[in-house]
Amino acid sequence: MRGFVERNKRLIFGMLALVALLAGGLLAARASGEFQLKDILPFDAQYVWMMKQTRSILETYHVNDDEQKSGEELFYGAMKGMVAAWGDPYSRFVDPDELKQEEIDIEGEYGGLGIYIGSRDGKILVISPIEGTPAHEVGLEPMDEIVKVNDEVVLGWNINDVVKMLRGEPGTNVTVWVRREGHDELLRFGITRGAH
């Protein structure tokens, strides 16, 4: 141990000096009233503590040890939960992988229908068809509830899974069944995917 300390004296001294400097800065800021931990935490300290305890319990008692989640996955899951808790059907959190997929959607590397869709109360709803696109031309309207895509009933599905079913190669066909207010029966729309 003494040999290690002798060889790394500068490194150890530098680390101790850095820790002392940081601690001194925090204490000085706290004493001057400029810094309070509650001001930088996203939640009350008790909630942060509960999140830490929950993670600890899950890691300790999780049945399948092969499926440990990374801190990043847990963070993104917490962010999704926080955004969902607001209850706004038009707001959602997307992690970087999902964002990359949505950028592909926007940049046009697939054939699409030209609609914005959202999820509300477990329903997949058309928010708005984009003017001049296949969805607009066949007559899809805002607040149409997408019930079926081709032969698959999509009630209760995740919105991302429905989007994957709707897109495909440009020029290919997809059948979308919607429930529309004022109509007793489902409306059927045969749509040819356009290049976006």
Side-chain angles (χ1 to χ4, degrees):
M1 179 71 174
R2 180 175 286 174
F4 175 80
V5 171
E6 290 297 322
R7 284 193 307 272
N8 296 294
K9 215 180 254 188
R10 277 191 175 154
L11 176 65
I12 293 169
F13 178 74
M15 289 174 64
L16 288 173
L18 179 62
V19 169
L21 182 66
L22 288 172
L26 287 174
L27 288 172
R30 187 165 189 171
S32 68
E34 294 174 13
F35 172 81
Q36 294 209 8
L37 191 57
K38 68 178 179 81
D39 293 335
I40 63 168
L41 290 176
F43 311 105
D44 289 341
Q46 68 183 18
Y47 296 126
V48 175
W49 178 83
M50 286 172 56
M51 290 173 73
K52 186 167 179 55
Q53 293 303 312
T54 301
R55 178 179 181 169
S56 178
I57 290 167
L58 287 170
E59 288 175 343
T60 303
Y61 297 106
H62 190 256
V63 176
N64 190 348
D65 289 338
D66 296 337
E67 292 185 16
Q68 291 293 326
K69 298 293 183 185
S70 69
E72 184 177 79
E73 289 174 300
L74 295 174
F75 171 74
Y76 292 144
M79 292 296 292
K80 285 180 183 182
M82 182 172 64
V83 172
W86 283 99
D88 179 3
Y90 304 109
S91 297
R92 63 192 174 94
F93 175 83
V94 292
D95 65 40
D97 290 337
E98 292 168 333
L99 181 61
K100 200 176 294 181
Q101 188 59 51
E102 290 190 11
E103 286 171 351
I104 288 172
D105 295 351
I106 292 167
E107 290 167 8
E109 296 179 19
Y110 72 100
L113 307 182
I115 53 173
Y116 295 109
I117 64 173
S119 177
R120 182 190 298 173
D121 301 327
K123 298 176 181 177
I124 304 297
L125 301 174
V126 174
I127 295 171
S128 174
I130 301 168
E131 193 170 337
T133 62
H136 182 259
E137 290 171 4
V138 299
L140 283 175
E141 296 180 2
M143 300 310 292
D144 282 346
E145 178 190 356
I146 299 174
V147 174
K148 190 174 172 184
V149 178
N150 292 328
D151 296 324
E152 294 280 345
V153 175
V154 296
L155 294 173
W157 280 33
N158 178 293
I159 190 169
N160 294 325
D161 295 331
V162 176
V163 168
K164 286 176 189 171
M165 287 201 65
L166 292 173
R167 67 177 177 228
E169 290 292 320
T172 59
N173 297 320
V174 62
T175 303
V176 179
W177 301 79
V178 302
R179 180 176 291 125
R180 183 177 291 169
E181 192 172 329
H183 293 264
D184 293 333
E185 308 225 349
L186 294 179
L187 302 178
R188 178 187 182 277
F189 295 92
I191 310 173
T192 302
R193 296 177 177 103
H196 287 271

